[in-house]
Amino acid sequence: MSEEPQLDPKTADGGAKADGVTESGGVTESGGGGSAFTVVVAAVANLGIAVAKAVAGLISGSSAMLSEAAHSVADTVTELLLLTALRRSGRPADEEHPLGHGPERYIWAMLASVATFVGGAVFSVYDGVHTLVSGEELGDPLVSYIVLGVAFLLEGYSLRTGLRQVREEAARLGAPVGHYLRRTPDTAVKAVVMEDSAALVGLLLAAGGLLGGQLTGSGVWDGIASVLIGLLLVYVAWVLGRSNAQLLIGRPVPRSMREGIREELLSVPHIIDVLELTTLIQGPAEILIAAKVDFRDASTAGQIEWACEEAEEQLRERYPSVRRVYLDPTPGLRRRGRGPGPGSGR
């Protein structure tokens, strides 16, 4: 095989743009720089917000504010885990890890979704239920309103940073923003956007709980707001956990991209059939391709070697995120005396 080239920062052609995210793969060509900046902005914002919310919650006696403080603490822990994921997954391949460390980002991102569930959702639901059952004494909500307003501005800025990266990547790949966000394997950016969006909704719920308590003199509204914040975090943790689980188990590239890979292989002289094709997303800009390929019977060993090199070059030219290509010369099924079997791709 030829020496691995550096990742091309742009997509090779229109077909590659469309195949990047139009179906179920969501493959990007970006590195981790933009993702790391987005995560750092979110982490700094959430750390300051968490302290302010906790102080305001203690002063006002609002369970919704305390739930929001737990929400921000969970988000801060999440961002620290995501930064760890970006740093560790970017390490180069070595003798102990010949395929690199790309999938490690999804392990840490999975832990981040667990932190969101345990640190934010469980506490918020518990605190809300406790308030509904035992009641609470309402204090001065002015400080809480001020903190909520400042937090809304900071969370909005963090969300704006994440959405900017999402829009840039989606535009470069020629995909709708919503589809890109659902299917991208860059789960760090996805986590920041989802958590910041949930944070803004949570702030509105907390404000609603405070206002309801002011108008009625009852802490029930605050308790309801706290429970709703917890349920919102449960949803966010579930979506992020599912996305990372799919990538940890092993998600292939989109169907249209698999068809493009098969097309490129069959366009190489001496290759007459692709008997089996396996693709694997190892990271936002890391794709592995393995295929059982049938060569012409008359091809020499030198011609087969050349064809393998040519196939790899064509695939990397069309899809710059392809990092590893393994081709296995395999006799055609007819020559082996049996019909096509499962996974033959025929």
Side-chain angles (χ1 to χ4, degrees):
M1 298 291 177
S2 59
E3 182 180 352
E4 256 185 33
Q6 295 296 315
L7 286 181
D8 192 332
K10 59 184 182 301
T11 311
D13 56 24
K17 280 186 180 181
D19 288 338
V21 289
T22 50
E23 290 203 37
S24 61
V27 180
T28 73
E29 310 295 344
S30 64
S35 300
F37 176 74
T38 300
V39 174
V40 168
V41 169
V44 172
N46 280 311
L47 182 59
I49 291 170
V51 175
K53 286 178 181 176
V55 172
L58 293 173
I59 293 175
S60 65
S62 169
S63 63
M65 283 301 298
L66 292 176
S67 295
E68 273 298 298
H71 181 176
S72 294
V73 170
D75 284 354
T76 303
V77 173
T78 293
E79 267 95 51
L80 292 176
L81 290 171
L82 292 176
L83 284 174
T84 301
L86 293 173
R87 182 178 63 83
R88 294 183 65 85
S89 65
R91 292 178 296 168
D94 53 38
E95 186 176 352
E96 297 297 323
H97 304 88
L99 296 182
H101 297 77
E104 188 170 351
R105 78 160 52 207
Y106 302 123
I107 297 175
W108 290 95
M110 175 68 80
L111 293 176
S113 66
V114 173
T116 298
F117 177 78
V118 176
V122 173
F123 177 85
S124 297
V125 172
Y126 169 79
D127 199 42
V129 171
H130 181 268
T131 298
L132 291 173
V133 173
S134 305
E136 68 178 8
E137 293 185 8
L138 299 177
D140 184 2
L142 178 60
V143 176
S144 295
Y145 283 129
I146 294 174
V147 169
L148 288 175
V150 174
F152 198 90
L153 293 176
L154 293 175
E155 293 284 9
Y157 175 76
S158 177
L159 177 61
R160 177 174 171 269
T161 303
L163 287 176
R164 180 188 299 165
Q165 183 180 347
V166 169
R167 283 195 296 267
E168 289 174 355
E169 288 296 324
R172 190 171 53 76
L173 292 168
V177 172
H179 182 86
Y180 173 85
L181 190 58
R182 286 194 303 272
R183 302 306 304 176
T184 177
D186 191 349
T187 53
V189 171
K190 182 174 182 175
V192 170
V193 170
M194 287 200 66
E195 288 170 356
D196 286 344
S197 300
L200 292 177
V201 175
L203 291 171
L204 294 176
L205 289 172
L210 287 171
L211 182 60
Q214 267 190 295
L215 296 176
T216 64
S218 171
V220 170
W221 295 102
D222 206 46
I224 292 174
S226 183
V227 171
L228 291 176
I229 291 169
L231 294 178
L232 178 65
L233 292 177
V234 168
Y235 172 74
V236 171
W238 177 73
V239 171
L240 294 177
R242 183 182 62 175
S243 298
N244 286 292
Q246 289 175 344
L247 289 159
L248 279 173
I249 293 170
R251 198 173 86 188
V253 300
R255 182 184 301 276
S256 58
M257 188 172 177
R258 295 199 299 271
E259 292 172 354
I261 291 170
R262 189 181 296 272
E263 175 186 312
E264 288 295 328
L265 291 174
L266 291 175
S267 71
V268 176
H270 303 289
I271 295 180
I272 61 174
D273 199 4
V274 179
L275 306 174
E276 184 177 331
L277 176 63
T278 300
T279 63
L280 181 65
I281 297 174
Q282 295 186 293
E286 291 187 50
I287 296 174
L288 180 148
I289 297 174
K292 289 183 177 293
V293 178
D294 185 14
F295 291 88
R296 298 184 187 279
D297 293 342
S299 298
T300 65
Q303 288 172 329
I304 291 176
E305 291 175 351
W306 174 87
C308 289
E309 290 290 323
E310 180 66 21
E312 186 172 357
E313 289 178 7
Q314 288 186 200
L315 288 171
R316 283 179 167 157
E317 181 179 357
R318 181 167 176 177
Y319 304 110
S321 53
V322 171
R323 299 293 296 274
R324 297 172 182 86
V325 178
Y326 302 105
L327 300 181
D328 179 13
T330 305
L333 295 177
R334 291 179 181 174
R335 285 187 286 153
R336 285 186 280 169
R338 58 184 177 87
S344 65
R346 303 185 74 166

